[in-house]
Each structure stands twice: as structure tokens, then as C-alpha cells.
């Protein structure tokens, strides 16, 4: 049986760099750029939570933290789709 976090790994998160325009072009901080930055931050949190989950002694805590990380990844994907629509 596959867990809800099976698709989320540190590699999959790290392989999704967010390309941003040069600082000089970000003066207005368009909503789409802000959304991409938010998605990137959410993914970074997911990676951090996954790393912390690995050092947990209690299995239930590990599972919970992996679920939280998975939800951060799902939220990042939803935010990205919103950025695509702007």
C-alpha cells in the first residue's frame, strides 16, 4: 500500500527550482512572481519537515510529519497553478 507521501521526496522537491527575473525587473512584484516565491517557500518547508521526520523516534510522529510535508507540497502545486492562471 502506498502512503500519501510516497510521491513526495526531497529529490522531487529540490528538482523544481523557481526561475525568477533579475532583481531590476521585480520592482512591481507582480502577483505571479509572488505566487511562485510562495510555492518555492512551501516546498522548502516540506523538505525541512521531511528531514525532521527522519530523526523522529516515534513512528506516529514520523507519519504525521510526512503527511504535513505532503500537504505543503500539495499547497505549493495549487499555488503554482494559480500563478499559471494570472
Amino acid at each position: 500500500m502506498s502512503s500519501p507521501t510516497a510521491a513526495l521526496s526531497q529529490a522531487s522537491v529540490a528538482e523544481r527550482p523557481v526561475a525568477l527575473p533579475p532583481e531590476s525587473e521585480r520592482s512591481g512584484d507582480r502577483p505571479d512572481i509572488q505566487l511562485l516565491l510562495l510555492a518555492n517557500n512551501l516546498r522548502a518547508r516540506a523538505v525541512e519537515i521531511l528531514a525532521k521526520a527522519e530523526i523522529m523516534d516515534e513512528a506516529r510522529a514520523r507519519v504525521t510529519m510526512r503527511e504535513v510535508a505532503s500537504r505543503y507540497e500539495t499547497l505549493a502545486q495549487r499555488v503554482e497553478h494559480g500563478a499559471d492562471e494570472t
Side-chain angles (χ1 to χ4, degrees):
M1 183 170 86
S2 176
S3 74
T5 59
L8 179 64
S9 70
Q10 289 183 355
S12 68
V13 173
E15 291 172 358
R16 298 184 188 177
V18 175
L20 297 174
E23 191 74 35
S24 61
E25 294 178 20
R26 285 193 247 163
S27 60
D29 267 359
R30 300 183 326 249
D32 57 334
I33 292 175
Q34 290 177 345
L35 291 175
L36 291 174
L37 286 170
L38 176 58
N40 194 43
N41 288 337
L42 292 169
R43 283 203 171 88
R45 287 184 186 186
V47 168
E48 183 179 341
I49 292 168
L50 282 174
K52 288 180 180 181
E54 295 307 312
I55 61 171
M56 293 299 223
D57 293 329
E58 189 178 328
R60 181 181 245 168
R62 275 194 308 273
V63 168
T64 300
M65 291 186 77
R66 288 175 182 153
E67 288 171 353
V68 170
S70 177
R71 290 179 183 158
Y72 270 106
E73 174 62 23
T74 299
L75 183 55
Q77 290 172 5
R78 292 177 70 183
V79 167
E80 277 182 339
H81 291 322
D84 291 342
E85 294 171 5
T86 60

